Amino acid sequence: MELPKEYDHNTLEEKWMNTWQDSMYYFDWDSQKPQFIIDTPPPYPTGNFHIGNALNWCYIDFVARYKRMRGYNVMFPEGWDCHGLPTEVKVEEKHGITKSQVSREEFRRLCVELTETNITRMRKSLRRLGFSIDWSNEYITMEPAYFGKTQRSFVQMHNSGMIYQQNHPVNWCPRCETAIAFAEVEYDSRSTALNYLNFDKLKIATTRPELLAACVAVAVNPDDERYNSYVNTELKVPVFGHNVKVISDKNVDPTFGTGVVMICTFGDKQDVRWWVEHSLPLRKAIDKTGKMTELAGKYKGMSTTECKKAIIADMKESGILYKQEELPQNVGLCWRCKTVIEILSERQWFVKIKQDDILNTANEVTWVPDYMKVRLENWTGTMEWDWCISRQRIFATPIPAWYCTSCGKTKVAKEEWLPLDPTQTQPLEACECGSSEFRGEADVLDTWMDSSISALHVSGWLSDHPLLLPAQLRPQGYDIIRTWSFYTILRSKALLDKRPWDTILLNGMVLGEDGHKMSKSRDNFVIPEEVITKHGADAFRQWAAIGGTTGSDIIFLWKDVVAGSRFLQKMWSIVRFSLPHISEKPASFTPIDLWLISKLNRLVKETTEKMDAYQFDETFKAIRGFAWDILADNYIELAKSRLYGEDGKGKQAAQYTLFVAIETISKLLAPFLPYFSEEIYSHIKQESIHLQPWPQVNESLIDADAESTGELIKEMTSAIRRYKAENGMPLNAPLNEIEIYSTITDASDIAGASNSTIKLKSGVPDFEMVAKQIKPNMKVLGKTYRNRAKSIAEALVNADLNLACAGSITLQVEGEEITLDSSCFTVEKERLLKGKAVDILEVGNSTIVIVR
RNA sequence: GGGCUCGUGGUCUAGUCGGUUAUGACGUCGCCUUGACAUGGCGGAGAUCCGGAGUUCGAAUCUCCGCGGGCCCA
């Protein structure tokens, strides 16, 4: 059956997608094969699988398919990280409600409903991209089967003292009305006014006059002689009139403002540090919604912005504020809604951060690329306080705890009671005080509490299966090192005292064609579906493979995708040509067959090494280069005359060589191009290529001599081609007569490829060999003669050519006599003909004589 | 302000534990419709490897300084 001339990606990709069985990719919990568990990132179900995700999944699929072919028991699970604010916001938008207008249960139900719709859409994208996902190991974090584990992890860590409750300053988003972790704070440069105030006997400068009501101390630098005498005295706070102490602290910058700073609870993180260090009192002037409290007197009920405006106007009028200047400032923002965060002291749940544990565990993991580890190390060192895990939201894993209504004591659930929602159920035992009246904890868990046990979940933790931790691979983007990597390492260590994975593979960010991060506002946004429709999943996957080095940012370029689909068409043409000619029956190879086979084995060796090192770009480029350049442009051209010619040994050898090459290449391509490779393999064998083993290297067939002989034949052929091109002949034009003086023993392929008769001659043609110039070998000279190498090289170039041809040169360099043997230089020679009507082509040590 | 990272023909990119014709793709120019492929083949042009200094016999590669981009943070 002849293949159609064009490769039709639309039809064929659809065909295979609908043919493949999910069970091909199931992980076998009872297998004897070595395990390869991948801790796939669970995407947030927005409904759209964006191109950055797609890049990451391509990497994962390359690895999964490769490892399966290498004989591993591979798990490529698919998770969905459902909980979180964006879905709550979407639900409010979609139904035109706010979360307080419906019951908690009803609001949760609407969130679940939206999430399920989105997951269904995203599953389709994953299938269409040809990912070999193990759907028997799908997990959905909002389902009881998963969030029950999140809750059990909470209980276990609470019982081991890793989780505790405390009144502590936390980052607070007044719009979302919830505490957030450091990882959720973004920073932005703004400009603000620095206000100079008459503050009792002193003058201070502050950017936050609205916090005057929350002022708990005034600080000066201990070395600042202007203010030494005021330390430990009391000052009356302007406007509000309460007294605060003057303290000294070396972290006060005497050159900033007036050198006097007011400490409020809390203006910024520095206030928190001073507050802790000097055991200062707490004055809450801002409430959870960002409004001023009673403490702010007449400003009560105003937002911080309104209050700032009002108090500045008042103080200007009363002469308290005597100067203002512009000041650039960085403010913390809520990463979800970009609202300026406040620092409030609230009772929250925290996870202890043991920096040494995290750093030591990170060191047990192989980081690819290795420099990414530094990011985790730097982040680990900068945490100001423990991980705040409680959130004042609804759509998240409930914190399994209650408060006794009579004694106020906290009761945390027992593991066997889980999963549960404490706002819906009561604990199964009474409080120590005897009361059985409880109020359920309404706070919920940070979503990272869900996703940070993904590695444990997929490895069989708290299941009927054996625990297979550590997993082998964590693939993720470098943007979430400080969150997902950090928290996963923390949790795995805390819960099981083990590293979560053997290796972490970081991918870069996808940039738009203009080199900037893709965003709708820049109009450089591309969705995977658009690419698939135009060029197919395999072309998209090629862009992912060759667009850039693993770990670095990668620009999405349409031309790369187009180049991908061109390669598919080229490969298709190769197969289309080859199919009628291939044969599985071995025969004795000719020199050019041996060359091809040697190169092919070298390719298998190289690609195996590079895949093991996660170098997808280099792997794919090597395969493509072999198929296009070596196989198509050279081998097939050279073997064509045998393939079309008379039956016989030579023909058989070419047929067999071609078979081996096509079969091997399809297998090497299988991890990258699942659809295309399956289609071409289906014309050779009846089984799926995705169940075949990865090609084995046959070292004995990698033969440098065979390669140089083949290379010589190839070079001679292209020299003849070039000759024809230069003389304006078509490439298939026969030449009068060709004589070849060379070490090769078989010129029939050259004859076929050049469509000419060839006389193979031994020895040297009847030409004069004239030495032309001496070329120094710097590699040898440099090592041997070090700093004299340069002057020796200069002398060498001008040395006697006759001596050079004899193999040894003696030179006078800097007054010293130096003898160089032939390893130090090469003599370039020119052959001059003696009056025959011919053209001469030189290839290495061989000479081609073309009789005109 | 700090950490990490990148800066290679017009464009994108490989090479980066030092070795003298710097890889490939796209684009471009010329030739070729040859029995797999014109979505092709053959050939050419095009790069002071961001700038400067240093180390070295020798630097795209190592060191330092500077300039510019990206990411993460303060």
Side-chain angles (χ1 to χ4, degrees):
Chain A
M1 180 191 73
E2 198 179 324
L3 300 185
K5 196 168 174 179
E6 285 188 17
Y7 178 68
D8 177 2
H9 65 83
N10 271 327
T11 312
L12 294 173
E13 289 187 359
E14 290 280 343
K15 177 183 92 177
W16 288 112
M17 183 174 71
N18 295 321
T19 307
W20 286 332
Q21 300 293 311
D22 282 354
S23 59
M24 282 163 65
Y25 309 127
Y26 285 172
F27 180 76
D28 180 358
W29 288 92
D30 304 315
S31 172
Q32 295 303 305
K33 294 178 184 174
Q35 70 179 50
F36 197 89
I37 297 179
I38 302 171
D39 181 18
T40 324
Y44 196 79
T46 56
N48 296 302
F49 200 72
H50 70 75
I51 207 153
N53 291 135
L55 173 71
N56 198 189
W57 261 251
C58 285
Y59 284 2
I60 300 170
D61 198 45
F62 300 158
V63 175
R65 291 184 183 277
Y66 168 69
K67 291 288 178 185
R68 240 178 251 121
M69 293 176 86
R70 287 297 302 277
Y72 287 87
N73 180 28
V74 173
M75 188 202 288
F76 178 178
E78 181 58 50
W80 301 100
D81 185 18
C82 309
H83 292 135
L85 192 61
T87 299
E88 292 191 10
V89 173
K90 264 270 165 344
V91 163
E92 288 180 331
E93 271 172 28
K94 189 179 161 194
H95 298 279
I97 53 166
T98 66
K99 65 181 162 107
S100 43
Q101 286 175 322
V102 293
S103 69
R104 274 177 88 90
E105 308 85 81
E106 175 62 6
F107 193 74
R108 269 194 79 93
R109 197 189 61 74
L110 293 172
C111 288
V112 167
E113 188 183 84
L114 175 66
T115 303
E116 280 170 350
T117 313
N118 287 342
I119 289 176
T120 306
R121 282 178 57 186
M122 292 173 80
R123 280 195 195 109
K124 280 189 187 139
S125 302
L126 291 170
R127 283 187 187 277
R128 188 59 189 77
L129 279 159
F131 299 136
S132 59
I133 289 167
D134 173 358
W135 291 104
S136 71
N137 277 295
E138 188 184 24
Y139 64 90
I140 299 175
T141 60
M142 68 181 178
E143 290 183 347
Y146 191 96
F147 84 70
K149 287 191 184 181
T150 305
Q151 291 187 322
R152 288 178 70 179
S153 74
F154 173 91
V155 171
Q156 288 185 11
M157 286 176 69
H158 177 263
N159 294 346
S160 67
M162 283 290 288
I163 287 178
Y164 63 94
Q165 246 187 319
Q166 197 180 53
N167 267 308
H168 192 279
V170 288
N171 298 307
W172 187 273
C173 174
R175 199 210 71 90
C176 304
E177 291 181 40
T178 181
I180 57 177
F182 281 115
E184 293 169 298
V185 180
E186 262 182 22
Y187 293 86
D188 190 28
S189 304
R190 304 253 169 116
S191 172
T192 188
L194 182 62
N195 304 282
Y196 287 79
L197 311 181
N198 289 305
F199 198 105
D200 202 346
K201 288 164 284 204
L202 295 178
K203 294 176 188 310
I204 64 143
T206 178
T207 58
R208 302 206 61 185
E210 75 276 18
L211 283 173
L212 221 45
C215 179
V216 290
V218 165
V220 296
N221 191 293
D223 299 328
D224 194 335
E225 287 169 7
R226 292 173 294 176
Y227 305 118
N228 272 342
S229 57
Y230 293 94
V231 173
N232 286 327
T233 64
E234 292 211 330
L235 298 178
K236 192 184 273 286
V237 176
V239 184
F240 298 96
H242 60 284
N243 285 336
V244 295
K245 231 167 88 175
V246 179
I247 59 171
S248 77
D249 190 293
K250 59 182 184 332
N251 286 320
V252 177
D253 178 2
T255 65
F256 182 82
T258 62
V260 186
V261 59
M262 71 168 185
I263 302 173
C264 308
T265 53
F266 298 95
D268 58 21
K269 271 161 75 177
Q270 186 55 48
D271 281 347
V272 178
R273 288 180 210 122
W274 281 324
W275 179 72
V276 172
E277 209 166 308
H278 298 279
S279 308
L280 297 168
L282 180 69
R283 290 176 68 90
K284 291 190 186 185
I286 301 172
D287 71 9
K288 294 178 183 180
T289 61
K291 298 272 195 310
M292 304 310 294
T293 65
E294 289 192 12
L295 210 59
K298 68 183 249 206
Y299 305 104
K300 183 192 167 188
M302 291 183 182
S303 72
T304 49
T305 325
E306 289 163 350
C307 174
K308 188 180 202 166
K309 217 169 156 186
I311 202 167
I312 284 175
D314 290 350
M315 289 194 298
K316 266 184 185 164
E317 207 182 301
S318 58
I320 296 170
L321 195 161
Y322 66 91
K323 189 170 105 181
Q324 282 187 309
E325 55 188 38
E326 278 272 305
L327 183 73
Q329 187 197 31
N330 284 298
V331 293
L333 305 176
C334 169
W335 75 296
R336 288 291 192 199
C337 67
K338 315 296 175 203
T339 303
V340 178
I341 60 155
E342 292 292 345
I343 298 177
L344 303 185
S345 181
E346 295 291 336
R347 190 163 179 80
Q348 301 288 344
W349 296 87
F350 293 89
V351 166
K352 275 189 194 161
I353 291 174
K354 295 184 178 173
Q355 303 195 346
D356 288 349
D357 271 5
I358 291 167
L359 293 173
N360 291 337
T361 310
N363 273 326
E364 293 175 24
V365 176
T366 305
W367 292 69
V368 182
D370 59 353
Y371 58 77
M372 289 290 182
K373 184 165 77 179
V374 180
R375 296 191 179 207
L376 182 104
E377 289 168 345
N378 290 345
W379 171 250
T380 307
T382 65
M383 315 284 304
E384 296 269 347
W385 57 76
D386 284 341
W387 175 18
C388 175
I389 53 166
S390 41
R391 297 288 181 278
Q392 291 67 47
R393 304 295 311 176
I394 294 174
F395 187 45
T397 297
I399 295 176
W402 299 263
Y403 302 99
C404 172
T405 47
S406 60
C407 74
K409 213 165 180 291
T410 306
K411 182 159 209 67
V412 171
K414 293 216 165 5
E415 271 194 74
E416 54 272 26
W417 303 348
L418 304 170
L420 60 76
D421 181 347
T423 64
Q424 307 293 310
T425 54
Q426 290 286 306
L428 298 175
E429 59 186 33
C431 180
E432 287 166 27
C433 75
S435 165
S436 47
E437 292 288 306
F438 291 92
R439 178 176 55 83
E441 169 66 280
D443 283 5
V444 293
L445 290 171
D446 180 1
T447 45
W448 291 111
M449 280 292 281
D450 295 331
S451 54
S452 56
I453 56 164
S454 63
L456 278 59
H457 173 78
V458 299
S459 305
W461 184 60
L462 301 181
S463 76
D464 299 336
H465 302 299
L467 178 66
L468 301 178
L469 202 74
Q472 276 54 60
L473 185 70
R474 153 63 70 88
Q476 66 162 78
Y478 62 68
D479 54 335
I480 50 174
I481 288 176
R482 69 197 168 116
T483 47
W484 200 35
S485 317
F486 180 86
Y487 292 140
T488 305
I489 291 172
L490 186 165
R491 300 261 276 150
S492 178
K493 185 72 183 164
L495 288 161
L496 291 161
D497 196 26
K498 276 187 166 180
R499 67 172 182 275
W501 350 271
D502 295 334
T503 302
I504 178 166
L505 174 67
L506 284 313
N507 64 270
M509 301 295 115
V510 176
L511 308 176
E513 292 212 284
D514 58 0
H516 290 96
K517 207 167 185 171
M518 277 197 188
S519 70
K520 278 168 189 147
S521 55
R522 278 189 198 271
D523 198 28
N524 61 354
F525 209 83
V526 178
I527 57 166
E529 281 75 8
E530 187 186 351
V531 184
I532 295 168
T533 309
K534 288 179 180 157
H535 301 283
D538 282 336
F540 178 82
R541 296 169 61 108
Q542 274 183 85
W543 159 77
I546 61 177
T549 316
T550 320
S552 60
D553 289 346
I554 154 167
I555 298 183
F556 178 85
L557 295 171
W558 279 103
K559 69 176 182 65
D560 284 351
V561 182
V562 173
S565 72
R566 291 229 172 112
F567 173 62
L568 292 179
Q569 180 56 44
K570 179 71 185 183
M571 198 62 219
W572 184 250
S573 300
I574 294 171
V575 174
R576 182 163 167 265
F577 166 80
S578 303
L579 281 181
H581 295 294
I582 56 174
S583 158
E584 285 191 61
K585 200 171 150 202
S588 57
F589 293 124
T590 69
I592 206 72
D593 299 331
L594 285 168
W595 167 75
L596 198 271
I597 294 290
S598 177
K599 289 273 193 186
L600 183 66
N601 275 281
R602 203 181 279 284
L603 175 73
V604 172
K605 191 178 175 183
E606 185 188 350
T607 49
T608 306
E609 285 164 4
K610 292 193 188 303
M611 282 306 279
D612 285 338
Y614 305 105
Q615 292 171 326
F616 311 119
D617 56 332
E618 293 192 35
T619 309
F620 194 84
K621 283 174 183 171
I623 303 168
R624 189 178 64 179
F626 178 88
W628 205 314
D629 181 41
I630 296 176
L631 178 64
D633 293 345
N634 287 292
Y635 179 79
I636 289 182
E637 290 306 324
L638 285 163
K640 240 177 199 174
S641 61
R642 276 190 282 149
L643 291 166
Y644 281 125
E646 299 286 309
D647 284 353
K649 270 191 181 167
K651 182 170 181 171
Q652 240 180 61
Q655 288 176 331
Y656 178 64
T657 306
L658 203 50
F659 167 78
V660 173
I662 297 287
E663 196 202 23
T664 307
I665 291 173
S666 19
K667 285 179 182 170
L668 297 180
L669 288 173
F672 299 98
L673 313 175
Y675 293 112
F676 182 83
S677 59
E678 186 75 308
E679 175 63 23
I680 57 179
Y681 196 73
S682 72
H683 293 281
I684 308 175
K685 294 279 171 69
Q686 296 307 307
E687 297 157 338
S688 170
I689 195 165
H690 301 299
L691 301 173
Q692 305 304 315
W694 184 255
Q696 289 271 323
V697 185
N698 187 338
E699 293 274 357
S700 69
L701 289 172
I702 299 180
D703 180 347
D705 287 345
E707 286 188 22
S708 58
T709 304
E711 216 61 32
L712 190 56
I713 293 174
K714 191 193 101 176
E715 289 301 322
M716 287 198 274
T717 312
S718 67
I720 296 169
R721 274 187 198 152
R722 208 175 307 125
Y723 174 83
K724 288 181 180 176
E726 279 162 8
N727 288 284
M729 301 179 193
L731 290 183
N732 64 341
L735 289 166
N736 205 0
E737 189 187 318
I738 302 176
E739 290 175 3
I740 291 181
Y741 294 81
S742 176
T743 50
I744 62 163
T745 55
D746 180 353
S748 57
D749 285 339
I750 305 178
S754 56
N755 197 23
S756 308
T757 316
I758 291 182
K759 284 182 188 161
L760 199 53
K761 305 219 171 180
S762 58
V764 182
D766 188 18
F767 297 124
E768 224 178 328
M769 303 282 288
V770 180
K772 203 177 168 191
Q773 63 172 333
I774 303 170
K775 207 180 166 198
N777 185 350
M778 292 311 293
K779 203 165 180 175
V780 175
L781 288 177
K783 272 186 185 147
T784 317
Y785 297 100
R786 313 304 297 175
N787 57 353
R788 283 184 300 165
K790 205 173 214 171
S791 30
I792 291 174
E794 277 165 19
L796 199 48
V797 171
N798 299 314
D800 189 327
L801 283 163
N802 294 325
L803 287 174
C805 293
S808 168
I809 301 181
T810 303
L811 295 168
Q812 292 289 332
V813 179
E814 291 163 13
E816 203 180 329
E817 195 165 277
I818 292 169
T819 303
L820 303 170
D821 66 19
S822 59
S823 69
C824 300
F825 57 86
T826 48
V827 182
E828 292 187 343
K829 291 175 182 172
E830 199 176 32
R831 291 166 209 224
L832 296 180
L833 77 156
K834 281 179 180 169
K836 207 176 175 187
V838 299
D839 289 309
I840 301 164
L841 310 174
E842 296 197 57
V843 179
N845 290 321
S846 303
T847 306
I848 302 170
V849 178
I850 296 169
V851 182
R852 283 194 224 137

